Amino acid sequence: MTSLICTLQAHRDDVNWCAFSGALLATCSGDKTLRIYSTRDFSELPFSPLSGHGYGVHCCCFSTCGQFLASCSTDATTMVWSMVTGEIEAILQHPGRSPVRICALSPDSAHLVSGASDGTLALWDFPSKKLLRTGGVNDTTMVACSFSPCSQVFMTGSTYGDLRLWDLKMNQLHAEKNAHDLGVTCCTFAPSILSGGQVVQFHLASCGQDSLLKIWVINKFNSGGYKMQLLHTLTGQSAPVLSCAYSSDGQLLVSGSVDKTVTVYDAKNAVLLYTLNQHERYVTACAFSPTSPLIATGSMDKTVNIWRLEDGCSDREKSLPELSALTSSEGRTSAGRSRLLVSDWLEGDVSAWLVEEGLEGLVDKFMANNIDGTELLSLTKETLASELHIESVGLRSKLLRKVEELKSDSVCTGIPDEFLCPITRELIREPVIAADGYSYEREAIESWINTKNRSSPMTNLPLLTTLLTPNHTLKMAIGRWKTSHQHVKDL
């Protein structure tokens, strides 16, 4: 479950970026300022706002220890601020005096990279604040950058739509051309490193103007070579995706979009968990706290929303938050849980369902026994009596009736929306990705293209190409879902 716990409204222009340290939240804006908040109660620090940039501030990032904050701006500088005093520690002038769009600190806080609108990159020694070397790509704008968790390589993304991997000598190790059609907007490494045998493996998330969020796997071989492969394509948002971020354990992935939504995914299984809809304009920034279950999202509506993720292990009041912050006015039922199969419900989802069904007296027992969706569906009279110790025969019967109704409803409405063709609204048999970034039934989109003058069924904009790419990931996901749900095998 996810609840909106507060909204910060101090900025006077678009919020462009959010960043957490262990104890602080930093936000930056087109109003030329950065604002710093305590994550304890989200009160603004005495030295906030930070004023020093001459134009809008595009990005900010903390050093690992949280002692310093770096920010970059259209004024062609990257500034380093003390989080003890709020004073400017250094002003780094970007080579060529081009507007700086992105900056990133390595996890070991040894290096800082800044990327500019002329495609140049500057690599700085962070402790000394000295420029080490420059590089880049001509005729594009650098808009995304992230260091690997080992701090030895970093990925950049540009308005060209390419992702490029660099080492600390500014050698280009890999180029993934057309990673996102129409341009990359953000990229971020997962915090963990996987190693085994001859390979070291990283995961990277990227998003772009094609309305897609992608998860990549990057393999580093003992020979020194790198290979990058697409692992998942996530289509939970209907417009360009502007920002993405991993949780500190790498298990969750959040993204913000032009469609005003925030989506939270299970990163490992590429499953959409929540869609949050509280911003009034484009969601331009998102970040996970490294020390607590909090997400910050920033928007062109000038606000920053703070969300709390509930894992079902906290006290009852925290596990059952107000539900009005989610996608629909009907609350969690229509916004969050209905997007999931009952078997995918978390413990908090089960608790919320119990309350909705008038069974709130069972919440504590279910939470104490860690009952999630799968276990809910498998409950019997025997387990209710012997394991959950529900003594009332009437209460046991009522609960089992509600579970049977839930199973019946799931048979009718349990097909995840992303498995339905946007044209036919039927389960997709042969999924393909069109130039607008959406997945369709091949026959349906081919017929549409032949009769609708190459316009997108979802955006009504012209399709730049009629090329259709098989979506193997979606086809496998649908296959797994059909295997586990007998009622769709005959479709």
Side-chain angles (χ1 to χ4, degrees):
M1 298 176 65
T2 306
S3 57
L4 179 65
I5 60 173
C6 69
T7 298
L8 309 176
Q9 304 181 25
H11 282 298
R12 300 190 306 276
D13 205 335
D14 301 351
V15 177
N16 293 325
W17 204 270
C18 301
F20 277 102
S21 69
L24 301 175
L25 168 69
T27 63
C28 61
S29 168
D31 64 11
K32 308 179 188 178
T33 70
L34 297 101
R35 292 185 178 269
I36 314 299
Y37 301 88
S38 167
T39 55
R40 186 179 64 256
D41 57 5
F42 291 98
S43 59
E44 195 163 357
L45 268 58
F47 58 67
S48 179
L50 305 180
S51 300
H53 284 294
Y55 292 95
V57 187
H58 294 289
C59 177
C60 60
C61 53
F62 282 101
S63 60
T64 302
C65 64
Q67 184 177 356
F68 300 103
L69 178 73
S71 62
C72 61
S73 166
T74 302
D75 64 14
T77 70
T78 300
M79 291 188 176
V80 180
W81 309 80
S82 166
M83 289 295 95
V84 177
T85 64
E87 298 295 324
I88 297 173
E89 294 281 322
I91 301 176
L92 311 179
Q93 298 282 350
H94 195 84
R97 299 286 299 166
S98 184
V100 185
R101 294 292 304 277
I102 191 72
C103 60
L105 273 163
S106 60
D108 61 7
S109 296
H111 296 94
L112 171 72
V113 167
S114 56
S117 61
D118 62 357
T120 59
L121 293 167
L123 180 68
W124 308 82
D125 178 83
F126 187 68
S128 67
K129 313 301 187 290
K130 291 182 179 179
L131 180 65
L132 296 178
R133 52 189 62 91
T134 60
V137 182
N138 294 329
D139 302 322
T140 189
T141 297
M142 289 294 176
V143 292
C145 184
S146 178
F147 270 94
S148 67
C150 67
S151 297
Q152 299 305 302
V153 296
F154 60 93
M155 188 73 74
T156 61
S158 77
T159 51
Y160 262 171
D162 58 315
L163 290 167
R164 296 175 187 268
L165 187 67
W166 310 77
D167 65 15
L168 297 178
K169 294 182 180 179
M170 209 63 84
N171 297 313
Q172 193 175 136
L173 304 174
H174 180 83
E176 190 72 27
K177 302 291 184 66
N178 301 314
H180 287 276
D181 191 24
L182 305 178
V184 174
T185 53
C186 187
C187 67
T188 179
F189 273 98
S192 57
I193 302 173
L194 305 175
S195 61
Q198 305 295 310
V199 179
V200 175
Q201 189 177 97
F202 309 101
H203 281 189
L204 177 95
S206 66
C207 54
Q209 298 289 345
D210 55 7
S211 306
L212 300 177
L213 177 63
K214 296 183 177 183
I215 299 176
W216 308 82
V217 60
I218 300 167
N219 291 318
K220 178 188 177 183
F221 301 94
N222 282 353
S223 62
Y226 285 82
K227 184 177 181 181
M228 183 171 173
Q229 292 179 298
L230 181 61
L231 195 60
H232 299 293
T233 299
L234 306 177
T235 58
Q237 288 164 310
S238 60
V241 185
L242 303 180
S243 56
C244 59
Y246 274 102
S247 60
S248 59
D249 60 4
Q251 297 299 305
L252 299 176
L253 185 61
V254 63
S255 63
S257 170
V258 167
D259 67 9
K260 308 176 187 177
T261 68
V262 175
T263 54
V264 182
Y265 294 90
D266 174 339
K268 181 180 179 180
N269 300 305
V271 173
L272 178 63
L273 300 178
Y274 309 108
T275 298
L276 314 176
N277 187 5
Q278 193 72 10
H279 285 294
E280 296 178 358
R281 297 193 65 196
Y282 301 172
V283 182
T284 51
C286 55
F288 274 97
S289 166
T291 57
S292 56
L294 299 173
I295 300 173
T297 59
S299 168
M300 290 177 66
D301 63 14
K302 308 177 187 178
T303 70
V304 176
N305 282 334
I306 309 299
W307 309 84
R308 181 182 296 278
L309 294 174
E310 308 294 352
D311 61 5
C313 298
S314 54
D315 58 73
R316 178 177 169 186
E317 287 73 24
K318 289 185 177 180
S319 68
L320 300 173
E322 291 296 322
L323 306 178
S324 60
L326 293 158
T327 300
S328 165
S329 60
E330 295 175 12
R332 182 73 170 94
T333 301
S334 59
R337 292 197 309 279
S338 67
R339 292 180 179 272
L340 300 174
L341 301 174
V342 177
S343 58
D344 291 333
W345 283 9
L346 302 177
E347 295 161 20
D349 296 317
V350 173
S351 296
W353 174 78
L354 289 170
V355 173
E356 292 168 4
E357 297 297 339
L359 299 167
E360 57 269 12
L362 298 177
V363 168
D364 291 338
K365 285 183 180 291
F366 273 58
M367 295 292 281
N369 287 274
N370 305 118
I371 303 296
D372 60 15
T374 300
E375 289 158 338
L376 175 68
L377 295 176
S378 64
L379 290 176
T380 64
K381 289 183 179 180
E382 291 71 28
T383 57
L384 290 177
S386 62
E387 297 179 21
L388 294 183
H389 305 294
I390 300 175
E391 297 178 357
S392 168
V393 175
L395 189 55
R396 292 200 299 263
S397 298
K398 180 179 180 181
L399 175 61
L400 290 175
R401 283 199 307 273
K402 295 293 184 182
V403 171
E404 287 304 315
E405 291 173 8
L406 198 58
K407 291 179 181 179
S408 177
D409 289 343
S410 296
V411 169
C412 299
T413 63
I415 302 177
D417 193 63
E418 57 266 32
F419 293 174
L420 301 177
C421 173
I423 298 173
T424 65
R425 299 304 297 170
E426 296 176 356
L427 188 70
I428 302 176
R429 295 182 178 87
E430 196 62 35
V432 293
I433 304 173
D436 59 359
Y438 291 92
S439 290
Y440 302 92
E441 179 68 58
R442 178 183 287 277
E443 183 177 352
I445 188 62
E446 285 179 343
S447 175
W448 179 281
I449 290 172
N450 291 334
T451 59
K452 298 292 183 179
N453 196 27
R454 293 179 57 177
S455 64
S456 164
M458 298 298 287
T459 68
N460 291 322
L461 297 174
L463 294 171
L464 298 180
T465 175
T466 58
L467 179 67
L468 302 174
T469 305
N471 191 336
H472 299 297
T473 301
L474 180 58
K475 188 171 184 177
M476 288 189 292
I478 293 173
R480 289 194 297 269
W481 185 83
K482 289 175 68 175
T483 299
S484 61
H485 292 79
Q486 298 295 324
H487 65 275
V488 295
K489 282 189 173 181
D490 296 329
L491 291 177

